[in-house]
């Protein structure tokens, strides 16, 4: 059973286009994190959101936590080839449990 | 060190053998985690240490898997009687509490042949 579902699983677009990746669950999360992973490397933390409705921006990346804290989205504006990678969302179900549940990832390819 | 260090980076072993995977966390990070990532999947939780003790080992798949962190720093994940299904990338991460983000190592790619 996949607690966190990411969509799409694969996305290939042209440089300069905008895109949104979704992370959905039927469970409530106390916090949610987004990571980016390159081949042969571990995931690198991009952002953590903890409050329902919270929006955080990181340059061209905008992260939103759903009001009910069950879902999140990552929006990239004017995508660049350097954005290529595997994007993972991960949620902490119980606050302080110190255990993250990861989605299966969205593999993003930005073509020049 | 500056980051989380995992050794070896690659390990090929024969079915039935014993393997040890090492993780050296960021200095001062009291929390240490092991995750396993299969091809095309997100990481799956194995075990979490707070200091020297395993605070949550609910993700270990069976009793062939064991992990230690005797001095509250370096951790070793031990797998006995390896099976082909154990093949995966084993990721270690550390954090300082409260947990609002891990720092992951580059992982150990384990291949059981």
């Amino acid at each position: 059973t996949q607690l966190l579902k990411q969509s799409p699983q694969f996305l290939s677009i042209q440089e300069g286009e905008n895109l949104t990746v979704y992370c959905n669950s039927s469970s409530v999360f106390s916090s949610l994190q987004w990571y980016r992973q390159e081949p042969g490397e571990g995931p690198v933390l991009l952002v953590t959101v903890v409050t329902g409705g919270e929006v955080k921006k990181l340059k061209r990346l905008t992260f939103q936590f759903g009001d009910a804290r069950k879902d999140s989205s990552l929006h990239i504006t004017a995508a660049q080839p350097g954005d290529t990678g595997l994007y993972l969302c991960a949620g902490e179900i119980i606050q302080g449990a110190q255990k993250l549940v990861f989605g299966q990832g969205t593999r993003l390819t930005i073509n020049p | 060190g500056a980051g989380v260090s995992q050794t070896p980076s690659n390990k090929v072993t024969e079915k039935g053998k014993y393997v040890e995977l090492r993780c050296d966390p960021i200095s001062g990070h009291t929390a240490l985690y092991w995750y396993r990532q299969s091809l095309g999947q997100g990481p799956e939780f194995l075990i979490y240490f707070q200091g020297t003790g395993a605070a949550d080992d609910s993700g270990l798949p069976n009793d062939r898997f064991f992990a230690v962190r005797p001095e509250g720093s370096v951790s070793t994940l031990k797998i006995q009687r390896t099976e082909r299904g154990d093949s995966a990338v084993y990721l270690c991460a550390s954090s300082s509490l409260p947990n609002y983000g891990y720092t992951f190592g580059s992982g150990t790619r384990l291949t059981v042949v």
Side-chain angles (χ1 to χ4, degrees):
Chain A
T1 303
Q2 192 82 44
L3 269 179
L4 267 175
K5 287 197 171 183
Q6 286 186 238
S7 60
Q9 277 191 266
F10 299 93
L11 183 59
S12 180
I13 63 171
Q14 293 300 120
E15 181 177 0
E17 294 183 0
N18 302 332
L19 67 107
T20 302
V21 174
Y22 300 93
C23 177
N24 294 292
S25 177
S26 56
S27 301
V28 176
F29 293 98
S30 60
S31 68
L32 194 137
Q33 301 168 14
W34 284 91
Y35 291 82
R36 180 176 150 190
Q37 186 175 23
E38 305 283 353
E41 299 295 326
V44 175
L45 180 68
L46 297 174
V47 76
T48 301
V49 286
V50 296
T51 305
E54 183 175 1
V55 176
K56 282 193 174 179
K57 293 196 174 187
L58 189 66
K59 297 183 181 177
R60 293 176 294 100
L61 279 59
T62 301
F63 303 86
Q64 183 160 10
F65 201 13
D67 290 341
R69 305 208 315 273
K70 292 183 179 181
D71 53 81
S72 181
S73 63
L74 158 60
H75 182 78
I76 301 179
T77 304
Q80 299 177 1
D83 296 327
T84 294
L86 179 68
Y87 289 82
L88 294 157
C89 65
E92 184 180 33
I93 292 180
I94 302 171
Q95 188 172 11
Q98 304 299 326
K99 178 165 64 179
L100 291 179
V101 173
F102 280 82
Q104 81 275 31
T106 293
R107 187 161 298 282
L108 176 64
T109 303
I110 310 300
N111 304 299
Chain B
V4 177
S5 176
Q6 290 189 247
T7 54
S9 55
N10 281 283
K11 176 73 177 177
V12 180
T13 191
E14 291 181 347
K15 179 176 177 295
K17 298 288 189 184
Y18 168 81
V19 295
E20 289 189 352
L21 312 180
R22 176 188 166 108
C23 173
D24 200 339
I26 291 174
S27 178
H29 279 190
T30 56
L32 184 146
Y33 315 82
W34 284 98
Y35 281 75
R36 177 167 74 172
Q37 187 173 23
S38 300
L39 194 63
Q41 300 296 319
E44 291 180 294
F45 172 80
L46 294 177
I47 187 169
Y48 152 59
F49 286 90
Q50 178 55 41
T52 60
D56 184 348
D57 64 357
S58 62
L60 294 178
N62 52 59
D63 61 7
R64 295 187 297 105
F65 289 74
F66 189 70
V68 295
R69 195 186 185 198
E71 297 178 357
S73 179
V74 171
S75 176
T76 304
L77 178 65
K78 308 181 181 194
I79 311 174
Q80 298 177 321
R81 304 183 304 280
T82 51
E83 300 177 357
R84 293 196 178 89
D86 299 335
S87 297
V89 175
Y90 289 81
L91 293 164
C92 176
S94 68
S95 75
S96 54
L97 295 177
N99 175 29
Y100 282 155
Y102 299 167
T103 301
F104 279 91
S106 297
T108 293
R109 181 174 297 279
L110 176 66
T111 304
V112 182
V113 297

